[in-house]
Amino acid sequence: MRSPEKTHLYSVLSLTFLIVLFSACSKEEKKDVVAADNTEEMTSYLTSLGFDKQHIVFDKDRVIVELDILMTLPELKQRVAVWKKDNSGVPQTEQRRNTYIVSNTYNTNIKLYIDAAVPSNWRTAIQGAVNNWNAVNGTRLGMSIVTSQSDSHCRVFMGNETANWIARAYLPASNGRPGVSVEINAYYNSLAANQKLFAITHELGHTIGFHHTNQTSGTYIPGTPQTDANSVMNSFVLPWNGFTAGDVLATQILYPQ
Ligand SMILES: [Zn+2]
């Protein structure tokens, strides 16, 4: 979820990425060359999903795409392995993609644990976001907030970065579990309550498998509107004003009763 102000963060990050990749390529050691090759392969996979190469940032043991969508490197490597197997020897005339959503084992009661450090106004937004998703009719999707971390699927915690992401979240894993965490940027603690609610509802949308409606990554969900400017999965924060018809339909399609 992005703040409304546009900054030059994208270009700064992508430049950093290019410099890192470039310096890795220029090294003589074989190990570095292999690492650069893997990065290239993972980047190819991510661009095949429609993610803009300039908005792919490798960050230690994970990758950040479109500013607020996260994947762990082990998860990404697994996806690449399946993708390579699917593509082997077969010329592609259209894109094929794996789309992981939350399996039936978890999707009727996705349990969120909120870290103690999360301020009360964000807690209110988290509870509101859970209520929002639970109120969508005609789907099996359910969420709850639990008090034991060991009993939870997704942890909500605070980060603090002077950056234009308000919160960010992991996508569901290939094993069918929901995204493992939502990180809230304390830099945006003074955001209006209705924007906090939008932002958390949006991030929970990522943890159950939604990409951004205003960008082209991910697989289009047939039957949903081609444009949906007020969708909760728009990457820019809006004041919460309810789900759009498209949001509801997309949820009903991904998680039918
Ligand atoms: Zn997002």
Side-chain angles (χ1 to χ4, degrees):
M1 171 76 347
R2 300 176 66 176
S3 59
E5 317 88 52
K6 294 184 182 178
T7 73
H8 295 294
L9 188 75
Y10 272 177
S11 47
V12 173
L13 289 176
S14 56
L15 185 63
T16 310
F17 171 66
L18 284 174
I19 290 166
V20 169
L21 191 63
F22 187 77
S23 60
C25 289
S26 67
K27 282 182 185 168
E28 297 292 322
E29 288 172 43
K30 199 175 176 185
K31 195 179 157 195
D32 286 330
V33 174
V34 170
D37 282 351
N38 285 345
T39 303
E40 224 166 83
E41 199 167 76
M42 289 188 280
T43 303
S44 297
Y45 166 73
L46 290 168
T47 54
S48 84
L49 293 184
F51 288 116
D52 184 340
K53 198 171 180 175
Q54 296 202 313
H55 299 165
I56 298 170
V57 180
F58 287 89
D59 174 35
K60 294 175 191 157
D61 59 345
R62 64 184 183 179
V63 64
I64 306 167
V65 286
E66 292 177 4
L67 211 57
D68 77 328
I69 304 175
L70 310 173
M71 274 180 241
T72 65
L73 280 194
E75 171 66 23
L76 183 55
K77 282 173 184 166
Q78 164 133 10
R79 283 168 169 244
V80 169
V82 174
W83 175 66
K84 280 169 71 183
K85 206 173 143 202
D86 284 352
N87 286 341
S88 57
V90 184
Q92 294 295 300
T93 54
E94 58 178 18
Q95 287 208 353
R96 291 171 46 132
R97 300 176 284 233
N98 309 305
T99 308
Y100 301 116
I101 61 170
V102 183
S103 74
N104 286 350
T105 311
Y106 308 104
N107 61 22
T108 56
N109 187 11
I110 296 169
K111 298 176 188 173
L112 308 173
Y113 173 78
I114 307 173
D115 260 19
V118 176
S120 64
N121 50 13
W122 280 113
R123 278 173 191 274
T124 303
I126 298 162
Q127 183 64 64
V130 166
N131 296 348
N132 284 344
W133 286 110
N134 285 340
V136 180
N137 288 323
T139 125
R140 57 183 282 114
L141 186 70
M143 299 180 184
S144 63
I145 294 169
V146 297
T147 52
S148 152
Q149 190 178 346
S150 60
D151 184 38
S152 70
H153 306 120
C154 177
R155 171 180 168 239
V156 186
F157 68 101
M158 298 305 293
N160 197 345
E161 237 180 53
T162 308
N164 66 346
W165 59 273
I166 295 167
R168 55 191 183 186
Y170 282 89
L171 291 167
S174 47
N175 60 12
R177 291 181 75 93
V180 292
S181 69
V182 174
E183 180 179 6
I184 298 169
N185 192 350
Y187 187 61
Y188 292 95
N189 277 351
S190 59
L191 203 67
N194 59 6
Q195 290 182 308
K196 283 189 172 85
L197 179 57
F198 186 100
I200 301 298
T201 308
H202 174 100
E203 296 310 325
L204 293 182
H206 284 317
T207 69
I208 60 173
F210 287 117
H211 284 226
H212 290 139
T213 43
N214 60 330
Q215 288 169 26
T216 52
S217 71
T219 309
Y220 168 67
I221 301 171
T224 58
Q226 295 281 352
T227 58
D228 199 352
N230 294 315
S231 162
V232 72
M233 296 316 296
N234 190 297
S235 64
F236 288 95
V237 72
L238 298 167
W240 174 253
N241 192 26
F243 289 111
T244 62
D247 292 331
V248 170
L249 181 59
T251 309
Q252 290 168 340
I253 292 170
L254 288 199
Y255 297 105
Q257 263 175 337

